[in-house]
């Protein structure tokens, strides 16, 4: 470790480090919550703005798209120019974009501001994981990532409930965005005081890889567009973008290899993928997020559209998963030091068991009581998710050099966004196809859950394969 890295890894006091962690987690919660909180507000937006379906689709998918596109470049920018400065810029832009979304006069302007909000969220996310790498080591780093995993799991699951509560209390969809203003302002002020000053690495061979950014960005865009727009773009022509994406990403890989050989500061150091813990962990994360995020997509759709649940009731029905995830992620952050990848295997097993239980609950209680019947299985799945996300993040990033922590975190989270988009596209296709052929039946939800289960089982297979590595916490 260099002198600069050693200085960055040991902030002045333990108390200050843990307060700084709270700042990072709050910002992460705010930006991730916005991936799902708007879902329940779409009907109100349609009525209030007279927005067409295409605009409403982009309100959801546009945020996910721009968020995912900037993760790796923003992570690298933080590594080079300072994580604190990049974090502050992202939070300020996110807060302003949230205000603009709340004030949007038309659907078109709302889409534009949501795209900016996604860019800002993508700037913040890799700084949070990079700052955890920078501020903590060993068992403390595992605990910090446990808290981070808890935030990831809870923010994904609690979005519909939070949106329902805000709309019911205020009577307006605009408060779904306005709620970010006091939070963003508080985070910005606290970050100014608590986040450690970064001392960027002074190396003449280190630079910002603009061609790499363009290749990765265009490749990721070509890959994610047909996924996030799977329902909005009918027909099969959209899938012609996938081979284009593969070609661009292969070109990116070749370019990054060249940059690395010439020591010109690649956007992504390909030596990261020589680490078995990083490669398998990133792939596992991608596949798992395809499974668990798609569960909520079809579940809330079924409860509202087929059973007539309100937005608030549908959000409440997802809460057992969120509670289980939050508690288990904190526990998992402590246990991963002792049990390593075996804890992830246990967690994925619990998720699979919970989804199987939810399928059985829907089959046995195919009416409005399904929310109660599925509560226990979803709690089990949530506990499993908490034992999966944060331990896997810790194990995946444990051997990454601190000076590459932002870019590595960006790669990991980009995989999560791509996995989420792919899972929702695949599970949504199965769900809507069954609805088209059979009407609003519980069979559509069961098939959707079964498809999500396949992704979880694939992640479980990867975790079992990685047990041989015996990954430990650095």
């Amino acid at each position: 470790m260099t002198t600069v890295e050693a200085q960055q890894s040991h902030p002045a006091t333990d108390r200050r480090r843990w307060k700084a962690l709270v700042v990072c987690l709050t910002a992460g919660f705010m930006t991730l919550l916005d991936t799902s909180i708007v879902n329940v507000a779409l009907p109100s937006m349609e009525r209030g703005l007279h927005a067409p379906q295409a605009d409403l689709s982009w309100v959801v998918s546009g945020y996910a798209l721009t968020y995912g596109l900037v993760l790796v470049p923003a992570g690298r920018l933080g590594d080079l120019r300072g994580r604190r400065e990049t974090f502050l810029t992202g939070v300020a832009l996110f807060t302003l974009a949230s205000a603009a979304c709340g004030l949007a006069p038309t659907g078109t302007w709302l889409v534009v501001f949501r795209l900016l909000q996604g860019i800002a969220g993508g700037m913040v996310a890799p700084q949070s994981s990079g700052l955890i790498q920078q501020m903590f080591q060993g068992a403390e780093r595992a605990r910090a990532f446990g808290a981070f995993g808890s935030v990831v799991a809870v923010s994904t699951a609690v979005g519909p409930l939070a949106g329902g509560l805000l709309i019911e209390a205020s009577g307006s969809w605009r408060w779904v965005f306005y709620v970010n203003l006091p939070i963003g302002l508080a985070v910005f002020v606290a970050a100014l005081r608590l986040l450690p000053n970064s001392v960027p690495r002074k190396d003449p061979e280190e630079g910002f890889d603009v061609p790499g950014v363009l290749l990765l960005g265009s490749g990721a865009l070509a890959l994610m567009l047909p996924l996030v727009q799977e329902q909005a773009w009918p027909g099969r022509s959209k899938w012609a973008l996938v081979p284009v994406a593969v070609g661009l990403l292969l070109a990116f890989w070749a370019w990054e290899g060249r940059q690395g050989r010439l020591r010109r500061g690649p956007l992504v150091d390909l030596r990261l993928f020589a680490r078995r813990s990083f490669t398998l962990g990133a792939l596992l994360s991608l596949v798992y997020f395809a499974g668990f995020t798609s569960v909520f997509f079809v579940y809330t759709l079924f409860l509202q559209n087929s059973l007539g649940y309100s937005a608030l009731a549908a959000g409440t029905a997802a809460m057992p998963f969120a509670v289980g995830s939050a508690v288990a992620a904190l526990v998992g952050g402590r246990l991963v030091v002792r049990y390593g990848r075996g804890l992830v295997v246990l967690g994925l097993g619990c998720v699979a068991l919970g989804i199987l239980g939810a399928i059985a609950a829907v089959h046995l209680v195919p009416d409005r009581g399904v929310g109660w019947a599925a509560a226990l299985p979803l709690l089990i799945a949530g506990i499993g998710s908490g034992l999966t996300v944060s331990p896997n993040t810790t194990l995946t990033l444990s051997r990454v050099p601190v000076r590459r922590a932002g870019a590595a975190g960006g790669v990991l989270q980009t995989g999560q966004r791509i996995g989420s988009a792919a899972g929702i596209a695949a599970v949504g296709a199965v769900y809507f196809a069954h609805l088209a052929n059979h009407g609003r039946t519980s069979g559509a939800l069961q098939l959707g859950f079964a498809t999500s289960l396949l992704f979880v089982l694939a992640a479980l297979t990867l975790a079992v394969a990685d047990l041989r590595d015996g990954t430990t916490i650095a």
Side-chain angles (χ1 to χ4, degrees):
M1 182 182 291
T2 66
T3 302
V4 169
E5 288 171 356
Q7 292 171 348
Q8 290 178 336
S9 299
H10 298 283
T13 66
D14 286 344
R15 187 177 180 183
R16 187 181 183 87
R17 280 188 299 158
W18 291 104
K19 286 182 177 179
L21 175 64
V22 172
V23 173
C24 293
L25 297 184
T26 304
F29 181 83
M30 179 177 66
T31 57
L32 287 171
L33 186 70
D34 265 59
T35 62
S36 60
I37 194 173
V38 300
N39 291 351
V40 296
L42 294 178
S44 299
M45 293 175 186
E46 184 178 17
R47 292 190 299 269
L49 297 175
H50 306 289
Q53 284 296 321
D55 284 355
L56 295 176
S57 176
W58 272 96
V59 167
V60 177
S61 61
Y63 181 87
L65 187 64
T66 52
Y67 186 104
L69 287 177
V70 303
L71 283 168
V72 175
R76 183 65 178 142
L77 184 66
D79 291 341
L80 289 173
R81 300 290 182 256
R83 298 185 184 106
R84 178 178 182 270
E85 292 74 13
T86 309
F87 180 94
L88 288 167
T89 302
V91 169
L93 180 59
F94 187 88
T95 305
L96 292 172
S98 297
C101 286
L103 294 169
T106 66
T108 300
W109 278 112
L110 180 57
V111 170
V112 170
F113 296 140
R114 277 288 279 177
L115 295 176
L116 291 175
Q117 196 185 33
I119 291 172
M123 289 180 65
V124 172
Q127 314 316 321
S128 297
S129 60
L131 284 163
I132 290 174
Q133 291 280 87
Q134 176 180 319
M135 294 188 295
F136 300 96
Q137 291 181 330
E140 284 191 337
R141 182 181 291 174
R143 288 174 57 195
F145 273 125
F148 184 75
S150 179
V151 165
V152 171
V154 172
S155 60
T156 303
V158 82
L161 175 62
L165 286 171
L166 285 169
I167 292 171
E168 186 165 299
S170 67
S172 172
W173 59 267
R174 297 182 186 273
W175 280 95
V176 168
F177 300 108
Y178 288 151
V179 71
N180 292 327
L181 304 187
I183 300 173
L185 181 61
V187 167
F188 187 88
V189 173
L192 279 174
R193 187 169 65 89
L194 294 171
L195 292 189
N197 284 313
S198 300
V199 184
R201 182 181 170 88
K202 303 297 183 182
D203 189 334
E205 294 178 350
E206 294 282 332
F208 195 68
D209 182 10
V210 176
V213 170
L214 295 176
L215 285 170
L216 179 61
S218 56
L221 179 64
L223 180 61
M224 291 183 69
L225 261 179
L227 294 174
V228 299
Q229 292 294 103
E230 200 277 331
Q231 295 298 319
W233 291 356
R236 299 178 179 178
S237 59
K238 58 180 174 286
W239 300 113
L241 286 172
V242 173
V244 175
V246 172
L248 289 168
L249 292 175
L250 287 174
F252 168 75
W253 187 273
W255 173 261
E256 294 302 286
R258 174 183 180 275
Q259 291 293 95
R261 289 191 299 273
L262 296 177
R263 299 181 181 276
R264 292 182 178 175
L267 179 66
V268 176
D269 189 346
L270 298 186
R271 288 175 295 182
L272 290 173
F273 295 96
R275 303 171 188 270
R276 179 185 173 91
S277 59
F278 181 83
T279 302
L280 280 180
L283 184 58
L284 187 154
S285 184
L286 184 153
V287 176
Y288 176 65
F289 269 72
F292 103 92
T293 54
S294 55
V295 167
F296 299 105
F297 175 69
V298 293
Y299 188 50
T300 54
L301 277 177
F302 176 77
L303 292 178
Q304 292 182 81
N305 295 341
S306 296
L307 298 185
Y309 276 43
S310 67
L312 181 58
T316 303
M319 280 304 293
F321 188 100
V323 172
S325 295
V327 175
L330 293 173
V331 174
R334 298 173 183 271
L335 295 180
V336 67
V337 178
R338 181 182 301 177
Y339 298 106
R341 187 63 71 186
L343 188 63
V344 178
V345 172
L346 174 63
L348 288 167
C350 289
V351 176
L353 179 63
I355 294 177
L356 281 172
I359 293 172
V362 174
H363 177 72
L364 295 172
V365 187
D367 54 25
R368 289 181 62 86
V370 71
W372 290 104
L376 179 59
L378 288 178
L379 176 64
I380 295 171
I383 291 171
S385 187
L387 296 178
T388 299
V389 175
S390 61
N392 182 65
T393 301
T394 303
L395 294 167
T396 303
L397 298 178
S398 63
R399 298 179 182 176
V400 172
V402 172
R403 68 186 182 89
R404 294 284 180 180
V411 170
L412 182 64
Q413 293 178 67
T414 299
Q416 293 171 356
R417 296 305 105 207
I418 292 174
S420 296
I424 288 173
V427 174
V430 171
Y431 178 81
F432 288 115
H434 190 276
L435 284 183
N437 293 326
H438 302 282
R440 295 182 176 182
T441 67
S442 60
L445 182 60
Q446 292 176 64
L447 285 175
F449 278 174
T451 308
S452 298
L453 178 61
L454 292 177
F455 286 113
V456 173
L457 293 176
L460 179 59
T461 302
L462 289 169
V464 170
D466 198 32
L467 275 176
R468 299 194 308 269
D469 186 41
T471 304
T472 57
I473 306 302

